[in-house]
Amino acid sequence: MRTGTISVDSVLAQAQAKLASSTQQPTSTDKGADTEALGKISPVLAQVQERIAAQAQTVTASLSALGSFKSGLVDLGTAAKGLGALSAASPPEAIQAALTKLVTAYNATLKAGAAVGGDAGVGRTERAMDKALAALDTPRGNLAKLGIARQADGTLALDGGALGKAVAGGAAGVVQALATLGDGLAGASTQALADEGRLSDYLARLDKRAQALKDQQAAVLSTANKLSAVSSASSSLSAMALAAYRNAG
């Protein structure tokens, strides 16, 4: 049999048909059978189980990455609002601490988004984040004056010395620029986290897929258990028949 064309539904249908043709009532077996034990009952079902497990692992990784991305967006929104709370009277240390928190949250969100993969909702959010930065970097060089530098991988780096010089030269202008940046990033975070947003839709689809795979795993194991029970019953009947034959002789 070609393993590349195995269908879960067709395998289960064949297995169930075999069960239906038997007159023996299946008994309960160990529901925690692993793939190795499953292979002793049915190599085909073992292959199916391995494929389902691999798919489930991929979905679980995507769910974890998406959860990290959404968590990062929450932190980003909080840090962005923190920039808006600054004023010209804020100490230079407070301004740098607030911007450091934003840069850290921005980078964590971006890295988590990369781990999710090519989801449209993630891409849209990342473009909104980039747009907020680009809006402040007009004319070119404004970000650098604030001590913010974009790295090759899209993450940000903060130059505390450059930020300190900018604050010393005019704190009011710096906090106003940072408030603008904060508004843009807070808006991107809020829109992405909306219940009706694409990220929520993607999360719901992943949850549904995870449950479907879990149900398939249960169906495969259940079928294997029943097949094992039928096989055991058949072996017992054969042994009884052989014993009866020998006694009759």
Side-chain angles (χ1 to χ4, degrees), residues 22-210:
S22 174
T23 59
Q24 300 298 323
Q25 294 296 323
T27 58
S28 176
T29 60
D30 183 11
K31 296 183 179 180
D34 57 15
T35 303
E36 182 178 357
L38 185 61
K40 296 178 181 179
I41 300 172
S42 170
V44 174
L45 286 180
Q47 292 171 2
V48 172
Q49 178 75 340
E50 286 180 351
R51 292 188 179 193
I52 296 174
Q55 293 174 29
Q57 185 176 10
T58 299
V59 172
T60 298
S62 295
L63 281 169
S64 177
L66 186 58
S68 296
F69 183 68
K70 295 188 73 172
S71 178
L73 284 173
V74 172
D75 293 340
L76 179 63
T78 300
K81 292 176 182 177
L83 293 184
L86 297 171
S87 70
S90 298
E93 296 80 10
I95 295 176
Q96 180 165 334
L99 187 53
T100 298
K101 184 177 180 179
L102 179 87
V103 168
T104 299
Y106 186 98
N107 290 345
T109 303
L110 205 62
K111 290 178 180 178
V116 173
D119 176 63
V122 172
R124 180 180 180 181
T125 302
E126 290 174 340
R127 288 191 294 273
M129 292 165 59
D130 185 72
K131 183 178 180 180
L133 287 172
L136 189 58
D137 202 26
T138 304
R140 188 85 174 186
N142 280 354
L143 285 177
K145 291 178 181 178
L146 294 172
I148 303 173
R150 297 199 206 193
Q151 306 300 295
D153 61 356
T155 58
L156 304 178
L158 179 59
D159 183 343
L163 176 61
K165 290 180 181 179
V167 172
V174 171
V175 297
Q176 182 178 1
L178 293 180
T180 299
L181 176 61
D183 286 344
L185 291 175
S189 172
T190 299
Q191 183 176 7
L193 292 171
D195 290 339
E196 67 276 10
R198 294 185 179 183
L199 290 181
S200 294
D201 289 342
Y202 185 45
L203 181 60
R205 292 198 304 272
L206 286 175
D207 282 334
K208 185 176 181 180
R209 177 59 176 160

